[in-house]
Amino acid sequence: RTRDPPPAAAMSPWPALCLRLTLYLHCLHLAPAQRIPVAGPRPFVPDCEGDVLFLTDSSGSVSYYEFSKVKDFVGDLLGPFTFGPQDVQTSIVHISTVPALEFTFDQYSTSAAVQHAIRNMTQRMGDTNTGLALSLAKEQLFTPQAGARPRVPKVLVWVTDGISTDDVAGPMKLLKDMGVTVFIVSTGRGNYLELSEAASQPTDRHLHFVDVDNLSIITKELRDSIIEVIRARRLKALDITRSDEHT
């Protein structure tokens, strides 16, 4: 006599569960033994001591969307740096009718604090008086009172939509004369001749034209250029200090 199959309730559920799990993993294109990749730690930049100032266009010529993209760009650019009195220090000035200081060089000494401050920046609107912001940088920011350090490389990163309502050439020359290296990122249709004159030389290393949606394309290149400038100038400053000690 043929034996009847056992009732459904008595059958083990494990084969069906295993089949479902295998199908699920197959749909995810993952083999059962394959691990899902986990993001590694963020890279950092050692042996880098310099004061880096950002001039960000916060005027009414920039949309809220463009301003938010620039904030993301500045945050990403600074992400790998170590901050503190023996490392990188950074400051941000808003370009508007009257320039507005976001924070001084010595205000934040950790990456988390810097990133938090950048995320919480608000747009000022108003006119695009870049020359006034540059004058503020020279007279009040690249000074010991604002945390700037003597004989430490100074870098200015000017992020602009290419429009300025006052003179830029004069104040920019004064900054470069005091040893500040100038990088310019233009997200608009700025005058190439004017911006190339304002940037440090060579132009192809210090002037970038890029759409605001593509700022991430230049992030690493610009960061590497800043690091190169800081390290080269820092070595030169150390050589001068050692020469003075032996005279």
Side-chain angles (χ1 to χ4, degrees):
R1 181 184 173 189
T2 304
R3 185 174 298 178
D4 294 330
M11 296 180 67
S12 172
W14 292 111
L17 289 174
C18 290
L19 177 60
R20 290 178 183 175
L21 179 60
T22 302
L23 290 172
Y24 175 72
L25 292 172
H26 177 72
C27 292
L28 289 178
H29 303 287
L30 293 172
Q34 191 176 6
R35 293 183 178 179
I36 299 174
V38 178
R42 197 168 195 175
F44 71 99
V45 180
D47 304 322
C48 200
E49 184 180 9
D51 295 333
V52 183
L53 173 64
F54 287 86
L55 253 60
T56 59
D57 194 340
S58 192
S59 69
S61 67
V62 176
S63 69
Y64 288 111
Y65 173 77
E66 291 170 328
F67 185 75
S68 67
K69 297 295 286 186
V70 169
K71 287 202 302 182
D72 293 341
F73 169 67
V74 174
D76 290 343
L77 187 67
L78 291 173
F81 286 104
T82 302
F83 295 92
Q86 304 300 321
D87 296 289
V88 166
Q89 294 187 153
T90 190
S91 174
I92 296 179
V93 170
H94 294 270
I95 300 170
S96 184
T97 303
V98 176
L101 174 64
E102 186 67 35
F103 51 83
T104 59
F105 286 113
D106 57 354
Q107 189 165 340
Y108 300 116
S109 59
T110 67
S111 180
V114 170
Q115 294 295 331
H116 183 267
I118 292 170
R119 286 194 300 270
N120 285 293
M121 291 194 324
T122 57
Q123 190 171 357
R124 301 305 201 266
M125 307 301 288
D127 295 329
T128 315
N129 288 332
T130 307
L132 287 179
L134 292 169
S135 296
L136 176 74
K138 177 183 180 298
E139 296 165 7
Q140 299 184 34
L141 278 173
F142 285 119
T143 63
Q145 290 76 17
R149 296 161 291 183
R151 291 190 175 180
V152 167
K154 307 291 189 294
V155 173
L156 171 68
V157 181
W158 172 24
V159 185
T160 175
D161 65 352
I163 300 171
S164 184
T165 50
D166 63 350
D167 176 60
V168 171
M172 189 68 85
K173 183 179 184 304
L174 293 176
L175 276 173
K176 289 194 288 187
D177 286 346
M178 63 182 287
V180 177
T181 301
V182 179
F183 292 92
I184 300 176
V185 178
S186 177
T187 61
R189 292 173 292 181
N191 185 296
Y192 176 80
L193 291 178
E194 291 179 358
L195 292 178
S196 61
E197 183 178 345
S200 293
Q201 299 300 311
T203 303
D204 61 340
R205 296 295 304 276
H206 296 85
L207 175 59
H208 300 270
F209 283 88
V210 61
D211 186 83
V212 73
D213 287 315
N214 297 322
L215 283 166
S216 60
I217 294 175
I218 68 166
T219 301
K220 185 180 185 304
E221 179 183 351
L222 178 56
R223 184 192 300 126
D224 289 346
S225 295
I226 292 172
I227 294 169
E228 182 180 338
V229 166
I230 288 176
R231 288 177 175 168
R233 288 184 172 255
R234 184 60 180 154
L235 286 174
K236 183 177 180 181
L238 289 173
D239 288 342
I240 293 174
T241 302
R242 289 166 184 158
S243 298
D244 291 345
E245 289 175 351
H246 289 86
T247 56

